C-alpha cells in the first residue's frame, strides 16, 4: 500500500520527529481530527486535564468522536467530576453526528431507565450503521420478547446492507496485508 498522508498527499514521515512536526502543524491550524487525536493521546496517557482541554476544543470544532470520549470521561469521572447529565448530553451530540457507539450507549441508558421502546430504537439505528453489538442486543431482545419480529428482521437486513456497503477491493487488500503482518508497523501519524 502506498504510504502517503490522506490530507496533504505527501509521503509519510520516516522519523518520529517529522511525524510529530506534521501532527502539531495540523493541531495549530485547528484541524478538529488532529486536536481530537492529540487529546486522545493525552487520555490514553491518563493526562486527563490536557485530554479534556483538547477534546473540548475538538468538540467546539464539531468532532463527534470527541463528544463520545467526553461522555466516557464524565461517566467515569476521569479528570472531571462524574456528571450523568453531561455524559448524556455528549452521548446525544455524538449520536446526532452519527457515532454508532454513542447511539448504542444511549440505548443502554434508556434500557436501564426502563424505557425499553426507546432503547430498542437506539439499537436499531446503531445496527443500521453496521454496529454488531447493537445487532446482538436486538437479537437477544427478540429472543426475550421485547423486540418484535419485524423490528428484528428490518435491523438484520439494514445491518447486512451497511456491512455490504463497506466492502471494497481496497479494504479487502488492506485486510489481507494486515493478516500477513505487512501493516503492523504503520503509524497513522507518519
Amino acid at each position: 500500500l502506498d504510504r502517503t498522508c490522506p490530507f496533504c498527499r505527501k509521503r509519510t514521515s520516516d522519523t518520529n520527529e517529522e511525524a510529530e512536526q506534521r501532527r502539531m502543524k495540523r493541531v495549530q491550524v485547528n484541524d478538529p481530527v488532529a486536536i481530537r487525536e492529540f487529546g486522545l493521546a493525552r487520555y490514553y496517557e491518563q493526562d486527563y486535564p490536557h485530554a479534556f482541554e483538547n477534546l473540548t476544543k475538538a468538540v467546539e470544532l464539531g468532532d463527534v468522536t470527541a463528544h463520545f470520549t467526553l461522555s466516557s470521561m464524565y461517566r467515569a469521572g476521569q479528570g472531571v467530576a462524574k456528571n450523568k447529565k453531561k455524559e448524556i448530553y455528549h452521548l446525544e451530540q455524538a449520536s446526532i453526528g452519527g457515532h454508532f457507539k454513542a447511539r448504542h450507549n444511549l440505548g443502554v441508558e434508556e434500557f436501564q431507565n426502563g424505557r425499553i421502546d426507546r432503547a430498542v430504537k437506539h439499537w436499531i439505528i446503531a445496527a443500521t450503521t453496521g454496529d454488531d453489538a447493537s445487532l446482538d442486543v436486538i437479537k437477544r431482545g427478540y429472543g426475550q420478547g421485547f423486540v418484535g419480529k419485524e423490528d428484528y428482521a428490518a435491523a438484520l437486513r439494514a445491518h447486512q446492507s451497511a456491512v455490504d456497503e463497506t466492502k471494497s477491493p481496497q479494504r479487502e487488500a488492506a485486510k489481507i496485508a494486515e493478516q500477513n503482518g505487512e501493516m503492523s508497523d504503520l503509524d497513522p501519524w507518519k
Side-chain angles (χ1 to χ4, degrees):
L1 295 174
D2 190 24
R3 291 181 56 171
T4 58
C5 174
F7 302 101
C8 66
R9 306 289 186 235
K10 291 182 182 176
R11 180 144 174 79
T12 56
S13 307
D14 292 325
T15 66
N16 287 338
E17 294 81 23
E18 188 180 348
E20 182 65 21
Q21 287 174 347
R22 287 185 183 181
R23 180 174 32 252
M24 292 313 297
K25 186 176 180 181
R26 288 180 52 217
V27 168
Q28 290 168 354
V29 296
N30 284 336
D31 178 341
V33 173
I35 294 168
R36 181 230 312 146
E37 291 300 316
F38 190 73
L40 285 174
R42 304 296 76 75
Y43 177 82
Y44 294 126
E45 293 169 356
Q46 298 181 350
D47 178 3
Y48 299 124
H50 288 109
F52 181 79
E53 177 185 335
N54 285 284
L55 291 168
T56 300
K57 186 173 182 180
V59 159
E60 291 167 359
L61 295 169
D63 190 88
V64 295
T65 302
H67 271 294
F68 179 71
T69 306
L70 285 175
S71 76
S72 298
M73 292 178 76
Y74 279 114
R75 182 181 63 248
Q78 296 170 314
V80 294
K82 287 184 180 184
N83 187 321
K84 188 59 121 177
K85 189 174 181 179
K86 288 183 179 182
E87 173 195 353
I88 299 300
Y89 168 78
H90 286 290
L91 280 177
E92 289 172 345
Q93 294 303 306
S95 294
I96 290 167
H99 197 284
F100 67 86
K101 287 182 183 179
R103 181 68 69 176
H104 176 85
N105 288 359
L106 277 176
V108 171
E109 287 294 327
E110 295 292 359
F111 187 82
Q112 290 174 344
N113 290 322
R115 295 186 289 267
I116 308 302
D117 289 345
R118 289 183 67 156
V120 170
K121 287 178 185 176
H122 283 298
W123 290 326
I124 288 172
I125 292 168
T128 62
T129 65
D131 181 35
D132 295 331
S134 293
L135 183 63
D136 186 49
V137 171
I138 292 169
K139 181 172 31 173
R140 287 185 292 169
Y142 174 67
Q144 295 174 9
F146 64 84
V147 175
K149 185 176 183 177
E150 291 89 25
D151 285 340
Y152 175 52
L156 193 58
R157 283 191 304 273
H159 178 272
Q160 187 59 49
S161 176
V163 170
D164 289 346
E165 286 179 15
T166 63
K167 292 182 180 176
S168 71
Q170 294 85 357
R171 288 178 191 242
E172 295 300 319
K175 184 177 180 181
I176 291 168
E178 184 177 33
Q179 289 171 345
N180 293 336
E182 297 169 20
M183 295 180 64
S184 59
D185 66 336
L186 293 183
D187 180 351
W189 286 106
K190 286 186 177 179

